[in-house]
Amino acid sequence: MISASIVLYDNKIDILKKTVDSFLQTPVEKKLYLIDNSTSKSLQEHFKNDQIEYIFVGKNIGFGKAHNLILDTINSDYHLILNPDVEFSVDVLPSLIHQLKNKDNTVFITPKVKYPNQAHQFICRKHPTFFDLINRKIKFSEKKFQAHQYAHKDLSKPFYPEFIHGCFMLFKTKELKTLQGFDKRYFLYMEDADLCRKIDASGKKKLYFPEVEIIHQHQKGSSKKPILFYHHFISAIKYFLKWGF
């Protein structure tokens, strides 16, 4: 059995429905948790399905903390951390499950990710440094920017990156529970980077598997909205205080 969780906050319903439908069409036993951080239940009426459990939080408690709400209740073999702006075909999850179950030392797996225009999305990166985060915004060293996101590696082949962006993370559920999910101190941003560091500290790995692919809208909110940039900055400070600059 596979479960999945999507954290909601005033989402565009047309985009969200495509994500939900992508998961529900997967030909395996499944359950989807919609964890709504919005201030109203307006999204609930769109998702009446026996395979969906809608959880209304009533306030915005953040990304990682919301995903963690269902961690103690899920009893699946695999659990998908899923962004609300992703689309994928019916073969994606069965293929990833087949790969993941045969790799004892691997905690989670992620497929190739593309933008809606089919351009490649660089989700594999080195562990963040303070310089790397500044360089992503200012781009004063293109060479270091490219190296940070494995741009010169053959990304058509599977490998084990240091950090994988968390838009689509398929975990072995027992491993996610052992890690105790996301660090709840991060309100938004950097919680996926932190989790990847915890996986490394445990001596285990994360697998990038580009033989199947998904589409991710990737809103890049922190580049557009000052409040999201603020949350990104605060999370970065927490990350570097925890793991070192």
Side-chain angles (χ1 to χ4, degrees), residues 22 25 86-93 95-96 110-121 123 155-156 167-168 208-216:
S22 291
Q25 70 182 350
V86 170
E87 293 180 62
F88 51 97
S89 62
V90 295
D91 63 314
V92 169
L93 284 171
S95 296
L96 295 176
T110 294
K112 180 192 294 183
V113 181
K114 290 184 175 181
Y115 291 102
N117 66 1
Q118 294 297 305
H120 182 81
Q121 202 169 118
I123 60 162
L155 297 176
S156 67
C167 68
F168 189 107
Y208 172 69
F209 187 75
E211 294 181 24
V212 290
E213 63 186 49
I214 64 172
I215 301 296
H216 179 213

Side-chain angles (χ1 to χ4, degrees), residues 196-215:
C196 287
R197 289 295 292 259
K198 286 202 294 184
I199 291 169
D200 280 4
S202 74
K204 297 190 177 182
K205 299 178 179 179
K206 325 113 234 169
L207 177 61
Y208 172 69
F209 187 75
E211 294 181 24
V212 290
E213 63 186 49
I214 64 172
I215 301 296

Side-chain angles (χ1 to χ4, degrees), residues 120-131:
H120 182 81
Q121 202 169 118
F122 287 91
I123 60 162
C124 298
R125 302 171 192 171
K126 302 283 188 178
H127 287 311
T129 67
F130 186 75
F131 172 85

